[in-house]
Structures are given as structure tokens and as C-alpha cells.
């Protein structure tokens, strides 16, 4: 009986190993960029004081979005209080509601909204101690009562 199992097991192992070898990942090719591109023309595209970035690729549904947070009051010439969003399709910056009252040092993108963390205690005019969530209609809300210290990551 031992030989029967061995006779069936050996071909299965050989088949599995050959499959794994064929499916081994290929060596990644390095990505090279020819040049940097501004997010809008001239100095209006610069945002001094950026502390955090987050990217959302929704190209299958809507535009590709880049969120920037930091210590600034405008983005691309548009008034934006410490957090703004870049629309990759239209090439424009937008404010995220009324933003926050102090700097944004961390941004995370989730299905339900954009989470921001930092030194602020209000977001969108709502009390939000150091962490807040902005939904897809630019309405801010506090996250579980907030935190008792600044958020940096």
C-alpha cells in the first residue's frame, strides 16, 4: 500500500513544482521618468508646506485624485485651508469644504472617505480633535471623539 501512495504522490509533487516554477514572478523592470510635470501652470501649481499626500485612482468610475495636506491656505490659486484635492482629469485643485484650523500631517484614503490627522481641533467647522473624516460631498465629521494628541502618520 505504501508504494501506491508514493506512486501517486510523486507525480503530483512534480506537477506542483513545475507549476510553481512557471508562475514565479518576473523581475520587475525599473520605471524611469523623462521629466517632472507641475500639477498646474506657473507658480499657482506650487503649494508650500505640504506634509502629506494620498492618491486615489478611481479612473474606472471618476477622476484620479491626489490629496495634499499640510500647512497652507491655498492650492493652485484656490483657497484651501490645509487640505486640498487635485483632479487629475481636469488638472485643477479644489478645497475640501472649509478644511481644518491647523496643519494636516497625515491623510488616508478609504472607501467611505478621506481621513486626515494632524494638529487641528476643527475640520469643516466641526469639533474634530486631531483626526477627522471627509465624505465624498466634502462634509467633515469627527472620528470617534478624536485623539488627545497630534497625528503625524
Amino acid at each position: 500500500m505504501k508504494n501506491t501512495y508514493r506512486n501517486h504522490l510523486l507525480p503530483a509533487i512534480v506537477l506542483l513544482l513545475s507549476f510553481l516554477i512557471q508562475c514565479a514572478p518576473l523581475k520587475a523592470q525599473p520605471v524611469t521618468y523623462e521629466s517632472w510635470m507641475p500639477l498646474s501652470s506657473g507658480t499657482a501649481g506650487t503649494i508650500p508646506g505640504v506634509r502629506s499626500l494620498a492618491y486615489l485612482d478611481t479612473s474606472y468610475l471618476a477622476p484620479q485624485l491626489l490629496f495634499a495636506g499640510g500647512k497652507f491656505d491655498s492650492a493652485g490659486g484656490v483657497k484651501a485651508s490645509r487640505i486640498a484635492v487635485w483632479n487629475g482629469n481636469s488638472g485643477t485643485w479644489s478645497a475640501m469644504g472649509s478644511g481644518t484650523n491647523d496643519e494636516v500631517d497625515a491623510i488616508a484614503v478609504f472607501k467611505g472617505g478621506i481621513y486626515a490627522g494632524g494638529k487641528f481641533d476643527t475640520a469643516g467647522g466641526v469639533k474634530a480633535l486631531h483626526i477627522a473624516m471627509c465624505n465624498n460631498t466634502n462634509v467633515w465629521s469627527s472620528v470617534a471623539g478624536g485623539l488627545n494628541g497630534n497625528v503625524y502618520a
Side-chain angles (χ1 to χ4, degrees), residues 32-44:
T32 58
Y33 297 96
E34 296 298 319
S35 63
W36 288 91
M37 293 174 39
L39 293 183
S40 62
S41 61
T43 58

Side-chain angles (χ1 to χ4, degrees), residues 9-10 15 17 39 43-44 51 58 77 98 113 116 121 132 135 149:
L9 188 58
L10 186 58
L15 180 63
L17 288 174
L39 293 183
T43 58
R51 306 273 172 100
T58 58
S98 60
D121 59 17
N135 67 17

